[in-house]
Amino acid sequence: MRTIIKKTTNFRLSPRDIIPLLIWVTIILLTWLFMHGADHFLQLTPEALGKYFKIKWVLIAHITAGGGSLILGFLQFWPNLRTYSWQLHRIIGTLYLLAVLVSSICAVILAFTTAYQINWAYAFSLQVWVSVWISATTIAYYAAIIKKFKLHQEWMVRSYIVTLAFVISGLTLKLPMIKQLGSFEEISPSLFWMGWAVPLYLYEIIKSFKRTA
C-alpha cells in the first residue's frame, strides 16, 4: 500500500503580499484609532457611560467583538494566506462569524433601546444597518455550508464592507469639516447610511463590470 505524505511548508511573505499586508496593518491602525475613542467607557462609571450604564456589558461586548471582526475579516481575502491553508481559512472565518454574531446581537439591543434616546432617525438607521450586517453574514455562512463557494466569497465581501462601515462612519464623524455640518443627532443617521450603502453600491458596480468583461 502506497502512503502519500503531504509536504507542508511554512507561510512566507512574498512580494505579492506587500499590498495585502499594508492594507491589513492600516485596518488594524484604524480599528485601534476607532476603539481608542471608546476608552472612557472602560471606567464603567455612570458619568463615563451615560445612557449606556444599565447595559454597559452589552456595549463593551459590541465594541470588543466588533473590533475583532474588523481585524479578522480582511484575513479571509488575503490570497496567499487563503491558499496556504484552507483549514486556517476556515478557522479565521469561523472566528469572524462568531465576532459578528456577538457584536451584531449587542448592536440589535442597542439599536432598540438607547438609540431612541438620541432620535428616531438615529435608531432606525442603526436597525437597518445591523439587519443588513446580520443577513449578509448569514447568507455568506449558508453559501459555505451548501458549498457554493463563489457565492460565499461574494457575500463575505458584502458582510465585511458592512463591518468596515463602523470605522468609516465613526471616523468620518470626528472630522472637523463634518462636525460643522450640524449636531451629532442631525448628521449621524446620514453618515451611517453612507458608511455601508455607498461602498456596497460601488462593489455591485465593480462586480457587474467584471461579469460583462
Side-chain angles (χ1 to χ4, degrees), residues 134-207:
I134 292 172
S135 59
T137 308
T138 301
I139 294 171
Y141 174 71
Y142 178 71
I145 293 297
I146 62 176
K147 301 187 184 302
K148 300 288 185 180
F149 295 115
K150 187 177 185 302
L151 188 65
H152 165 70
Q153 184 178 21
E154 291 176 355
W155 279 99
M156 283 303 290
V157 171
R158 295 183 180 103
S159 170
Y160 192 58
I161 286 174
V162 181
T163 304
L164 283 174
F166 289 95
V167 169
I168 295 172
S169 301
L171 295 181
T172 302
L173 281 165
K174 296 180 183 296
L175 297 176
M177 61 181 294
I178 298 298
K179 289 181 178 180
Q180 294 176 3
L181 297 176
S183 66
F184 175 82
E185 292 79 3
E186 294 171 332
I187 64 176
S188 58
S190 297
L191 291 177
F192 290 164
W193 288 99
M194 177 210 72
W196 64 266
V198 174
L200 271 182
Y201 176 64
L202 293 175
Y203 170 67
E204 294 302 327
I205 292 175
I206 294 170
K207 194 158 65 68

Side-chain angles (χ1 to χ4, degrees), residues 20 24 27-28 69-79 81-82 89 92-93 160:
W24 189 51
I27 289 173
I28 292 174
S69 65
L70 285 164
I71 294 172
L72 288 167
F74 180 75
L75 294 177
Q76 301 168 97
F77 310 111
W78 192 322
L81 187 62
R82 185 174 65 243
H89 175 72
I92 293 173
Y160 192 58

Side-chain angles (χ1 to χ4, degrees), residues 96-158:
Y96 170 77
L97 290 171
L98 290 173
V100 171
L101 177 65
V102 173
S103 187
S104 63
I105 289 174
C106 294
V108 169
I109 296 171
L110 294 168
F112 282 91
T113 54
T114 55
Y116 281 108
Q117 295 184 33
I118 295 180
N119 57 45
W120 179 87
Y122 178 88
F124 181 68
S125 63
L126 289 180
Q127 290 161 11
V128 175
W129 187 357
V130 72
S131 298
V132 174
W133 195 25
I134 292 172
S135 59
T137 308
T138 301
I139 294 171
Y141 174 71
Y142 178 71
I145 293 297
I146 62 176
K147 301 187 184 302
K148 300 288 185 180
F149 295 115
K150 187 177 185 302
L151 188 65
H152 165 70
Q153 184 178 21
E154 291 176 355
W155 279 99
M156 283 303 290
V157 171
R158 295 183 180 103

